[in-house]
Amino acid sequence: MTIAREGWMAELIRWVEDEVPVSYGRFRLGPGSLEPEEEGQSGVMLAEPGGLALDGVELESRANTARVRMEAWDSEPLDAPGEPWTQAGQIVYLSSYGIVQVGGIGYSPSGQKLLIGPPFCVYGLRAYTGQVRTEPAPWDDSELEAVEESFLLRFWPRADAAAPALRPESEARGLAAARMRELVPLPPGAQAPRPEQWPALRPHPRPDPATLVMRYDPGTDHLEPVPPAGSQAPDEAWRRVEEVLGDLRYDLLGNLPNHVESWSRSRLEHYAARLRVDRRVGRELNPDDAPTMVLKASDVRTVLIGPDPGHSGRAWVWGKDDDAYAEVLSVDRQIVARDPIRGNSLLTGIVTILRNEDDHVEVRAATAAEAARVSTVERLRG
């Protein structure tokens, strides 16, 4: 989808949909990390015009469930989406992850995620409300209850926030929030990151479908007839795992979780859905299909946050010779040491993380813009 305006065009890069339970009239937008950084949650309501949110914002809803469509644009979309959408507010959204998800307050997120762009950037966020579906109230058929409300959230990049966030004194994770706040209001001449510099701001030529992720409630696990571990035939237990995960088993970065054979089918299906989301986001971070490799997460040192998808850092790998892994460890490639007995070389290079599973990461060579952040911090910290 492209919107033209006097020779200028804003392009819709990608979108996802999710369903969110509403608690006390609210639900939450937060970072894509499975462990959100509490210090970054500002609690600003989207209805407050011109507000500022850092990795978290609460939205109001009058229904029991919110059906949310989130869109990532490469620049500000000037045209409104039209019927049935009504603008509900606009804020400045500072993202230290570059990936967002929605969830109910007090509920675990479904696992659906949207890559909005590179981490440590300032984004515009505009919200729209849509249709409200009603049904007869269970306590009185003559009254109507709002059961589902539609929302549209649009993100677009406004400025790179890495300069204040990655200062050498910002070693602690929590300080990233304070440093990024210094960028608001935006300084004169602040430039938005450009798609040609950042793969995260370009659509994949062969995108994976962004399917809806069904919510898994661990509290209902006991309702399913799952035999205790050890009481069922091993072949039968693993047959259920293979049936649900299918080809995903051959695309795992690490090993399957411990005791996965004892999981219920709903838990397995939710795990498979999250794997598909992570795999989709990983492909979106690599629109040029650059060569990749899998490393232990501890082999990549990222800056402030990580090793999460979208973040860049320096990798250290032992290779069979000086030319090993040349396609991936190509940016600021260095030979740190050689082991003459084994004939191995310790290699290093700057990479960008695409996926993180079971303490393993998939990485590709960083682009110039991604690598510049790592090099700047290394230079400042000596």
Side-chain angles (χ1 to χ4, degrees), residues 5-332:
R5 180 81 68 173
E6 297 179 355
W8 174 89
M9 293 192 302
E11 182 178 359
L12 175 62
I13 309 172
R14 61 187 71 92
W15 62 273
V16 300
E17 287 188 349
D18 203 359
E19 291 182 351
V20 183
V22 176
S23 302
Y24 307 104
R26 299 182 180 182
F27 65 95
R28 186 168 187 84
L29 169 75
S33 171
L34 296 181
E35 298 179 353
E37 184 178 336
E38 293 184 359
E39 192 164 340
Q41 296 177 354
S42 67
V44 176
M45 295 302 297
L46 195 61
E48 298 178 3
L52 166 68
L54 177 56
D55 281 338
V57 63
E58 293 180 356
L59 297 97
E60 294 179 320
S61 176
R62 43 188 167 161
N64 299 328
T65 301
R67 188 173 183 98
V68 186
R69 175 184 168 102
M70 297 186 289
E71 298 179 347
W73 293 72
D74 65 353
S75 53
E76 181 178 2
L78 297 184
D79 285 355
E83 294 292 338
W85 302 108
T86 301
Q87 184 168 330
Q90 180 173 320
I91 60 171
V92 176
Y93 189 84
L94 285 76
S95 176
S96 53
Y97 289 85
I99 298 173
V100 296
Q101 60 183 338
V102 288
I105 298 175
Y107 291 83
S108 298
S110 70
Q112 181 67 281
K113 301 174 185 178
L114 175 69
L115 172 65
I116 61 175
F120 298 120
C121 279
V122 178
Y123 293 88
L125 168 56
R126 190 177 295 142
Y128 299 86
T129 54
Q131 295 177 336
V132 178
R133 183 168 61 85
T134 61
E135 293 179 357
W139 60 86
D140 188 347
D141 290 345
S142 63
E143 294 187 21
L144 294 179
E145 179 185 20
V147 296
E148 183 181 273
E149 185 173 12
S150 299
F151 285 81
L152 171 61
L153 306 180
R154 286 181 164 180
F155 299 84
W156 68 92
R158 292 186 58 182
D160 190 335
L166 304 182
R167 285 183 179 176
E169 63 267 30
S170 301
E171 282 285 357
R173 286 170 56 101
L175 291 181
R179 299 302 177 193
M180 290 176 69
R181 285 186 184 276
E182 296 178 11
L183 206 61
V184 179
L186 299 180
Q191 296 293 319
R194 300 193 302 272
E196 61 268 23
Q197 295 176 317
W198 298 93
L201 291 175
R202 300 200 305 269
H204 197 285
R206 299 176 305 282
D208 289 342
T211 56
L212 191 68
V213 177
M214 300 304 295
R215 191 171 303 278
Y216 163 70
D217 183 3
T220 64
D221 218 19
H222 67 280
L223 301 177
E224 299 194 28
V226 180
S231 66
Q232 54 186 326
D235 289 346
E236 179 182 348
W238 282 107
R239 191 177 301 114
R240 184 174 66 251
V241 174
E242 293 179 359
E243 180 181 332
V244 174
L245 297 185
D247 292 342
L248 286 171
R249 293 182 299 112
Y250 305 105
D251 195 36
L252 294 175
L253 302 185
N255 298 318
L256 285 169
N258 292 331
H259 310 300
V260 67
E261 72 279 6
S262 65
W263 289 4
S264 68
R265 176 172 291 273
S266 65
R267 186 177 181 183
L268 282 170
E269 290 174 345
H270 186 258
Y271 175 64
R274 296 179 78 111
L275 288 176
R276 291 189 181 95
V277 169
D278 290 341
R279 185 172 61 177
R280 170 179 56 79
V281 172
R283 293 189 70 238
E284 291 169 348
L285 285 164
N286 192 19
D288 300 321
D289 289 331
T292 67
M293 64 185 298
V294 177
L295 302 171
K296 292 183 179 179
S298 58
D299 290 339
V300 182
R301 173 68 189 274
T302 54
V303 180
L304 290 180
I305 295 175
D308 283 349
H311 289 80
S312 302
R314 183 171 291 278
W316 284 268
V317 185
W318 282 99
K320 55 182 175 52
D321 53 45
D322 291 356
D323 298 324
Y325 313 120
E327 289 184 315
V328 178
L329 300 180
S330 58
V331 179
D332 198 21

